[in-house]
Amino acid sequence: MIHLSVAIGRFVEALFYAILRVAGLVTGVVIVIAVTGLILFLIARWLIARGRRKGPRP
C-alpha cells in the first residue's frame, strides 16, 4: 500500500510541475508579445511624429 501512495504522490508532483512549466511558458510568451507590441507602437508613434514635424514637401 505504501508503494501505491508513493506512486500517486510522484504522479501528482509531476503533474503539478508540468502544469507550472506550461503556465510559465505561456506567461513568458505573453510578456514577449506585449513588450514587442509596445516597442512597435513606440517606433510607429516616433515615425509619425517625425513625419509631422518635417511638414509637407513641395
Side-chain angles (χ1 to χ4, degrees), residues 4 6 8 11 17 19 21 26 28 34 52 56-57:
L4 183 61
V6 169
I8 291 172
F11 172 75
Y17 282 116
I19 290 170
R21 189 178 318 134
V26 170
R52 283 190 190 149
R57 296 184 181 183

Side-chain angles (χ1 to χ4, degrees), residues 1-16:
M1 200 62 178
I2 290 174
H3 298 293
L4 183 61
S5 69
V6 169
I8 291 172
R10 287 191 176 171
F11 172 75
V12 170
E13 181 185 11
L15 185 65
F16 178 72

